[in-house]
Amino acid sequence: MKSEVLAVEGWRKVVHFTDESAGLNAIIAVHDATLGPGCGGCRIYPYASFEAGLEDVKNLSRGMTYKNAMGGIPFGGGKAVIFADPKTDKTPELLKAFGRAVDSLEGLYYTAEDSGVTEADLATIRSVTNYAAGMEKEGVGGNPSPFTARGVWRGMQAAAKRKFGVDSLKDLTVSILGVGAVGMDLARLIHEEGGKLVVADVNQAAVKEAVERFGAETATPEDAVAVDVDIFAPCALGGAINVDTLARLKAKIIAGAANNQLKTPDMDQALKDKGVLYCPDYVINGAGVISVGLEILGTWTTSEMNKRIDNIGAMLTDIFNRAEAENAPTGAIADKMALEIIARGRKAA
Ligand code: NAD
C-alpha cells in the first residue's frame, strides 16, 4: 500500500492511498477535527478523473464538519472516496485494503456507508479496522438510511408547519427525485401520513415500486423539480438546485436527503428571493451520521435515536426563526450556527 499526503489548504489531512494488487485507488479527507475525529461515509464511484474524486471528497468532508457539529455529535468532518465501479470492481480485497488505509490514520477518521457501500461491505472493512461503524448489532445502530429518511421526514414536517401552517404532510404533494435507500423510505413515511407523491429516478424498477406501493405519480428526472407540488425532495445526487432548475421550480419548500443540494452557494439567497423555504441539506439529512456517531460512542439506544431524529425538526425551526430575524437565507444561518458550535468546541479544548 502506498500513501501520499496531499497538500490541501484548509483541510486537516488529505491522503491518497493506492494498492495495485487489491485494485485500491482512494482518497481519505479529514476537513476539521476540532470536535473530534473526522467521521463520514465512504463513497465508491467511477469518477471520470482523479480531480473529480478529489473535488467530491473535499466538498463532502467539509459538509460533514458542519453536519456533525449541527448533529450534536463529538466528531469532525471526514469522508472517503474509492475510484471504482461498485457494480463491477468491488471485491473483499479492495474493501480490506481500504480498511487498512483507514486503520493507518490511527483514529483520525471513522468510516461508514455512502453511495456504493453496503452494510455487508462495512463488515468486511471492519474485519481489518476498528474505525468503521454503521453495522447493526443486536438491534443497535446499523444501516443509516432509514434514520436519515425519518430525519428528513421530521424536517419536512417542520418546514410544512412553517410555510403552510399545517401540522402534517396530509394533503400535501411531494416530488422526490431519487427513490433509492433514503428516498423510498421517505416516500413510505409521507404516504403513510396521507401525503401525495410524484417520484422520479433513472432506475425504472425503483419508480415502478413506488407507484405500486404508494400510488405515486411519476415524472422524468429532468422534470421532477418542475412539477406543480408543495415540496421538492432531492434524494439522488448533489447539485439539484442550480440556475436552470431554480427557474423551473414550483415547490415552496426544498427538503431532501441529498448532500450538497445547492450547485453554487448563491442558490441559497436565490431560493430566499423566490420565497422558497430551503431546509439546509446537512441539517435535514443528519440523522444517519448521528446514528453512526452514537454507535461509535457506544451510547446508541432507540429512545436516544428517536429523540435526536425529532430534534431535527426543532433545529430547523430555530434556523427558520433566526433566518427571519436576521433577514438571511437559511443555508447561511445553518453555516453560522455550525461555526459557532465549532468555535465553542475550540475554546473548550
Ligand atoms: P441510493 O444510491 O440508494 O439512492 C439514490 C437514488 O437516486 C437511486 O435510486 C438512483 O437510481 C437515483 N439516481 C441517481 N442518479 C439519478 C439521476 N440523475 N436522476 C434521478 N435519479 C437518480 O442513495 P441513498 O443512500 O438513498 O442516498 C441518497 C442521497 O442522500 C445521496 O446524495 C446521499 O449522499 C445522501 N445521503 C444519504 C444518507 C444515507 O443515510 N443513506 C445520509 C445523508 C445523505
Side-chain angles (χ1 to χ4, degrees), residues 43 67 144-145 148 177-178 180-182 201-203 221 235-236 257-259 285:
R43 176 171 291 188
K67 188 188 296 200
S145 301
T148 303
L177 176 62
V182 179
D201 200 297
V202 286
N203 176 357
C235 296
N259 289 311
N285 74 11

Side-chain angles (χ1 to χ4, degrees), residues 164 171-174 228-232 250-254:
F164 306 125
D171 302 328
L172 295 183
T173 306
V174 184
D228 196 2
V229 295
D230 303 296
I231 302 171
F232 175 55
K250 293 208 185 62
K252 290 288 174 215
I253 292 172
I254 307 279

Side-chain angles (χ1 to χ4, degrees), residues 43 45 60 64 67 79 113-117 142-149 152 176-185 200-204 206-207 219-222 224 234-238 256-261 281-282 284-289 292:
R43 176 171 291 188
Y45 189 80
L60 290 165
M64 292 311 296
K67 188 188 296 200
K79 204 87 184 186
E113 287 94 341
D114 196 87
S115 187
V117 175
N143 177 7
S145 301
F147 305 116
T148 303
V152 173
I176 304 182
L177 176 62
V179 270
V182 179
M184 189 69 83
D185 213 32
D201 200 297
V202 286
N203 176 357
Q204 285 313 309
V207 171
T220 63
E222 291 67 37
C235 296
L237 306 176
N259 289 311
N260 303 325
Q261 291 171 23
D281 45 14
Y282 61 78
I284 195 166
N285 74 11
V289 79
V292 167

Side-chain angles (χ1 to χ4, degrees), residues 59 70 99 107 115 118 152 212 286 329:
N59 285 335
M70 289 300 268
S115 187
T118 65
V152 173
E212 284 172 7

